[in-house]
Amino acid sequence: MDLNGKNYLVAGASSSIASSLITSLTEQGAKVYAISRKRSDNWPEGIEFLEADPTKDIADINSFLPEQLHGLVYCAGSINLKPFARVSDNDLMNDLEINALGAIRITRPVVRQLKAAGGSSVVFISSVAANTGMPYHTSIATAKGALEGFAIALAAELASQQIRVNVVAPSLTDTPLASNLLNSDDKKEASGKRHPLGRYGQPHDISSAIQFLLSDDSSWITGQTLAVDGGMGKLRMF
């Protein structure tokens, strides 16, 4: 997969999935522009970095970016699991702010650069919970459902400009965000058994799918949600 000469913006870039993606993109020759609230020690050399909250409007984003962007990935996210009776308006608004509104805010100002590339790709990260009923997931499922709705509408609007928009929907992945769900051997074993393929996800599982959707190998794919979930969303092993 040759990405030489291509420019990619990764927002929420300090996450484990984003760091895995940034490393892989760089190894393939891409130039990566990273936006996050802090720099990650796991990034390779040569990353262009803008310190900012990726969920908010960023006034100087266009001066930070090149004239052409071949891809945008929004990696900011949250995991907020509560019984519905305990889900507050603040919970819902916070999850929407991080997962859906943040994606909208980062995408709006860079459409011009995406269009200038003459063929580009936008990838958002959803969750298996958006389309698979799971207890205690009402807040995050609402937010990720909003993100998926935005993505498919945007894909239709931008298709004529050769901008593809797709979503990756993981299940439980071993990242700091999910640390409370995987902080013991018993939890890890139980989480693995819940997935038809017998294990929970690793950051590379998700970043590999994102990189595929960014690359020319997926040039005829848009408006899709790619489940990268160990079979959790579709398979019942009984």
Side-chain angles (χ1 to χ4, degrees):
M1 188 181 295
D2 184 6
L3 301 178
N4 277 297
K6 295 198 172 184
N7 302 317
Y8 295 97
L9 170 60
V10 180
S14 61
S15 73
S16 296
I17 292 170
S19 293
S20 175
L21 174 66
I22 288 170
T23 299
S24 182
L25 290 174
T26 303
E27 288 173 349
Q28 297 300 321
K31 182 68 174 179
V32 176
Y33 295 79
I35 297 177
S36 63
R37 287 177 288 184
K38 61 181 180 179
R39 180 184 288 272
S40 172
D41 294 334
N42 296 321
W43 295 343
E45 295 291 328
I47 305 303
E48 298 291 336
F49 173 57
L50 177 63
E51 184 177 348
D53 185 341
T55 71
K56 307 297 184 183
D57 289 320
I58 302 172
D60 54 348
I61 188 170
N62 283 304
S63 61
F64 168 66
L65 295 173
E67 285 299 310
Q68 294 185 350
L69 269 183
H70 299 87
L72 159 66
V73 184
Y74 181 75
C75 293
S78 61
I79 298 179
N80 180 21
L81 307 184
K82 290 182 179 180
F84 174 61
R86 290 173 46 203
V87 174
S88 68
D89 287 356
N90 284 338
D91 289 326
L92 286 164
M93 291 308 300
N94 186 61
D95 283 337
L96 283 166
E97 184 87 16
I98 294 171
N99 295 281
L101 294 177
I104 292 168
R105 289 175 181 139
I106 205 74
T107 305
R108 185 188 292 119
V110 304
V111 169
R112 178 180 62 82
Q113 289 94 330
L114 291 165
K115 182 179 179 181
S120 57
S121 174
V122 177
V123 182
F124 300 123
I125 301 178
S126 181
S127 166
V128 64
N131 292 289
T132 304
M134 294 181 175
Y136 314 124
H137 283 69
T138 52
S139 185
I140 192 62
T142 297
K144 293 299 193 182
L147 175 65
E148 290 191 18
F150 166 63
I152 196 168
L154 188 67
E157 185 169 333
L158 299 182
S160 64
Q161 301 176 50
Q162 299 304 304
I163 301 172
R164 299 179 293 110
V165 183
N166 293 289
V167 176
V168 169
S171 185
L172 180 64
T173 304
D174 190 5
T175 68
L177 200 63
S179 60
N180 287 340
L181 304 175
L182 296 169
N183 59 6
S184 72
D185 289 341
D186 287 345
K187 287 183 180 180
K188 290 178 179 179
E189 182 179 0
S191 294
K193 288 179 177 179
R194 290 177 61 216
H195 294 81
L197 286 180
R199 67 176 179 88
Y200 48 85
Q202 296 296 322
H204 177 71
D205 296 316
I206 316 307
S207 64
S208 295
I210 295 170
Q211 184 163 324
F212 166 69
L213 291 172
L214 289 174
S215 75
D216 291 339
D217 292 341
S218 63
S219 62
W220 209 41
I221 300 175
T222 193
Q224 304 302 310
T225 294
L226 175 60
V228 187
D229 61 6
M232 172 72 79
K234 294 290 186 181
L235 307 183
R236 296 294 178 267
M237 308 301 284
F238 55 81

